[in-house]
Amino acid sequence: MKKLLHILNLRSYPIMLLLVILFSSCSSDDPAADPDPVVPPVVVVPNTFPGPTYPDNYTAIASWNTRSQWNLANVHDPSVEKCGEYYYMYQTDASYGGAADGHGHFPYRRSKDLITWEYMGAAMTQAPAWVKDSLNNKRARMVPALPAIVNPSYGYWAPYIKKVGTKYRLYYSIVVTEPIIGTDYNTSWSERAFIGLAESDDLATNVWVDRGMVVCSEPDGVKSYVRNGGNDWEAYFKFNAIDPTFTITPQGEHYLIYGSWHSGIAALKLNPTTGKPDQLKTVSDYGTRIATRNRASRWQGSEGPEIMYNENTGYYYLFLAYDGLDVPYNTRVARSKNIMGPYLGINGADVTNGADAWPMLTHPYSFNNHTGWVGFAHCSIFQNPETKEWFYASQARLPEGVPGINASNAVMMGHVRAIQWTEDGWPVVAPERYAGVPATTLSDVSFIGTWEQITMNYQYKIIQKSATIYLTADKKVSGGATGSWSYDSTNKTLTVNGIKCKVSDAWDWERATRKVTITYSGFTTAGLPVWGKKID
């Protein structure tokens, strides 16, 4: 219960409800759940492309004893980096029914192809001693001084992995879950969070040297640690020291980007040699805000920043997770020519100064014959170092109240998807998960047929459903949408009713008999994702 109430303080009430599910065996009876609850059995077509066969409902293999079969089951807040012939994925401590509890922290897995993953164990056995020491040293220096917490309880959240020179740096979040004073979370904010750093020469060894604290949640004196009831969300700490990400500028400067809900997202310059800031003497040393959803409030509906630089466009891209992680989670992106911003959306709005980020890249959605996916954000953006292909990885959840699945919204499947870039330099995420489907030569005739299309309007906790449309040989669109279409084979761009979409050969995960198909992904002029999948 302490862990649960702590998360209430750090994030949002919908997230608290979700974590109740994560660590309990209660089922959901939500009458507003998705009315199409079928999770199809997996059937592979013989003598065709051998695509992935693992099920989306993994509850039958969710226990610790069956972890060798997990593949991408039980993934939350992933971060991916390649080392040798393997991609390594690190994540938050989270598993269906708490299956991985007591087996170390920051679980990781590896894959050679981004399709088949092997669960490897944990990167950390226990919290480093410096966390408790730093916590109690800060408590002792408060006015008035506060007593030490003898046995702090911790949450282990959202690590970030990156190769820097010859080393691999793992920035990790450890959150102290006790209230600052007393035992009532309605009368006190919970204690601070810490971001630490560990380094390894080779991820295959799982041998780490801990380098200590990088930054922590630090009060700025604006708000008291006294919490005025359960509806007080003004936050004692300025920046919430979780969800680290990291980037190196073309000029060789190193930055940590971090933050969740409290006040927005911060950028903190690091010493390239140490991977840490040179000093933390004043609040200004803890970073500069580069994104916020609400300048007037310290309580934000955004977290999970991921930042990367695309040398082909010359922009830094700041990816953000919006809203509560249980159902409404969705992914946004903004960009800037400067690491410190301002970050602007596709509509030119200033995200650094409080505008919502557009475009939206993911949202709760459902193609036909499947429950669909919700809680779909907090991403890792990475490249294949050889081919330079871009990828998006995150968790996604089954909806609430799926019949026959206890606590269905706690079923967390890792999604790895390809990213393509529009002609004006914005990333679009593939409608289907990556399966290594070989690219074929597509022509106009390839697109003639029956499609499912989803235009993802932003609606809080509402799953966006697909409509059936038809692309005909006379270049007309009919059915759930009407208009015209055309195909630019040189740029692999399909234009549907004026919306330019990137196309790809794909794996149809929703069919009862999975098979190869074609998909497209683009944006409306407002920055809403439009996804299409050919079904016939």
Side-chain angles (χ1 to χ4, degrees):
M1 182 57 70
K2 286 183 178 179
K3 179 184 293 184
L4 192 57
L5 290 171
H6 165 70
I7 288 167
L8 170 62
N9 285 340
L10 278 183
R11 301 201 178 199
S12 64
Y13 185 68
I15 300 175
M16 184 190 76
L17 295 180
L18 187 277
L19 267 292
V20 171
I21 294 174
L22 278 179
F23 298 101
S24 72
S25 59
C26 298
S27 61
S28 172
D29 296 316
D30 183 1
D34 187 347
D36 182 11
V38 178
V39 178
V42 176
V43 181
V44 179
V45 180
N47 303 318
T48 61
F49 174 74
T53 63
Y54 53 84
D56 293 337
N57 173 17
Y58 61 80
T59 54
I61 56 166
S63 71
W64 178 251
N65 291 335
T66 55
R67 63 192 180 279
S68 64
Q69 302 175 54
W70 283 0
N71 208 316
L72 282 172
N74 286 326
V75 166
H76 201 277
D77 304 335
S79 180
V80 180
E81 180 66 296
K82 196 172 188 187
C83 176
E85 61 181 342
Y86 285 99
Y87 293 91
Y88 288 80
M89 178 186 288
Y90 296 81
Q91 66 167 75
T92 288
D93 286 19
S95 53
Y96 182 80
D101 289 1
H103 298 284
H105 307 291
F106 305 118
Y108 75 106
R109 62 198 79 201
R110 68 181 187 180
S111 172
K112 290 183 178 180
D113 59 8
L114 298 175
I115 304 164
T116 301
W117 294 80
E118 177 186 9
Y119 186 86
M120 300 299 293
M124 182 180 290
T125 56
Q126 60 185 3
W130 67 259
V131 178
K132 179 180 174 181
D133 291 344
S134 295
L135 167 70
N136 287 324
N137 284 339
K138 288 179 177 292
R139 288 176 64 87
R141 293 196 298 269
M142 293 176 70
V143 180
L146 296 177
I149 299 178
V150 178
N151 294 303
S153 58
Y154 299 125
Y156 300 80
W157 295 351
Y160 181 81
I161 184 70
K162 185 74 170 181
K163 186 177 184 181
V164 181
T166 61
K167 300 284 188 181
Y168 292 86
R169 287 181 173 168
L170 184 71
Y171 290 94
Y172 57 86
S173 311
I174 295 184
V175 183
V176 182
T177 62
E178 280 86 358
I180 296 173
I181 55 171
T183 59
D184 186 351
Y185 289 88
N186 286 317
T187 60
S188 171
W189 281 94
S190 45
E191 256 299 353
R192 69 189 69 220
F194 294 87
I195 293 174
L197 170 63
E199 290 184 328
S200 177
D201 293 324
D202 185 352
L203 299 183
T205 67
N206 198 34
V207 173
W208 295 94
V209 177
D210 196 85
R211 301 300 187 189
M213 189 182 88
V214 178
V215 72
C216 67
S217 304
E218 190 71 7
D220 57 1
V222 174
K223 298 292 179 180
S224 167
Y225 58 68
V226 174
R227 189 162 183 249
N228 299 310
N231 291 320
D232 176 7
W233 297 108
E234 280 300 291
Y236 172 51
F237 299 112
K238 183 176 182 180
F239 296 124
N240 191 8
I242 66 172
D243 296 356
T245 186
F246 171 84
T247 194
I248 302 174
T249 71
Q251 295 75 36
E253 294 179 325
H254 290 213
Y255 284 87
L256 185 81
I257 315 296
Y258 73 97
S260 170
W261 291 78
H262 295 185
S263 300
I265 306 302
L268 174 63
K269 192 172 184 179
L270 305 177
N271 183 307
T273 301
T274 65
K276 300 161 70 172
D278 286 329
Q279 65 177 29
L280 291 173
K281 293 182 179 179
T282 66
V283 173
S284 63
D285 295 330
Y286 285 74
T288 300
R289 185 165 68 181
I290 61 170
T292 176
R293 284 191 78 178
N294 187 347
R295 289 181 59 87
S297 173
R298 296 170 73 90
W299 194 245
Q300 307 283 310
S302 63
E303 61 179 5
E306 180 84 356
I307 197 165
M308 46 71 58
Y309 179 77
N310 186 337
E311 61 184 10
N312 293 324
T313 66
Y315 281 101
Y316 297 91
Y317 292 83
L318 176 62
F319 298 79
L320 297 167
Y322 270 28
D323 303 330
L325 61 78
D326 54 345
V327 173
Y329 234 18
N330 60 96
T331 308
R332 308 296 183 95
V333 67
R335 69 185 186 184
S336 175
K337 291 285 189 178
N338 190 314
I339 182 66
M340 299 303 294
Y343 284 86
L344 306 181
I346 199 170
N347 56 1
D350 188 341
V351 175
T352 298
N353 286 303
D356 267 354
W358 298 97
M360 184 170 66
L361 302 181
T362 71
H363 185 281
Y365 79 97
S366 175
F367 283 117
N368 289 341
N369 303 314
H370 195 275
T371 61
W373 295 101
V374 302
F376 183 12
H378 196 132
C379 62
S380 173
I381 307 297
F382 62 98
Q383 280 184 287
N384 178 320
E386 288 80 35
T387 67
K388 302 303 180 182
E389 295 171 286
W390 290 94
F391 294 94
Y392 169 109
S394 77
Q395 76 274 2
R397 300 175 178 275
L398 293 184
E400 298 170 329
V402 176
I405 304 178
N406 184 36
S408 58
N409 194 222
V411 173
M412 303 165 289
M413 179 63 75
H415 285 210
V416 177
R417 295 167 184 255
I419 285 177
Q420 296 191 70
W421 297 86
T422 65
E423 62 183 26
D424 52 353
W426 290 97
V428 291
V429 174
E432 293 285 359
R433 286 167 277 170
Y434 180 73
V437 176
T440 61
T441 300
L442 300 175
S443 62
D444 283 12
V445 71
S446 307
F447 300 97
I448 298 171
T450 305
W451 292 73
E452 290 181 42
Q453 178 177 282
I454 305 175
T455 300
M456 295 192 196
N457 296 302
Y458 172 58
Q459 293 180 287
Y460 192 85
K461 294 192 76 168
I462 302 298
I463 295 173
Q464 300 299 291
K465 299 282 191 175
S466 61
T468 301
I469 67 171
Y470 306 94
L471 304 189
T472 51
D474 58 359
K475 300 299 179 69
K476 299 296 184 183
V477 179
S478 60
T482 58
S484 61
W485 67 274
S486 63
Y487 179 58
D488 175 357
S489 59
T490 301
N491 296 306
K492 296 192 74 172
T493 299
L494 178 71
T495 301
V496 181
N497 294 339
I499 299 171
K500 293 184 176 182
C501 301
K502 306 305 293 186
V503 301
S504 60
D505 296 276
W507 188 240
D508 190 337
W509 290 77
E510 289 80 27
R511 292 181 73 105
T513 302
R514 291 178 180 171
K515 69 171 196 174
V516 170
T517 187
I518 307 170
T519 62
Y520 61 77
S521 180
F523 296 124
T524 68
T525 55
L528 297 172
V530 176
W531 285 0
K533 176 182 71 170
K534 190 177 184 183
I535 59 173
D536 191 17

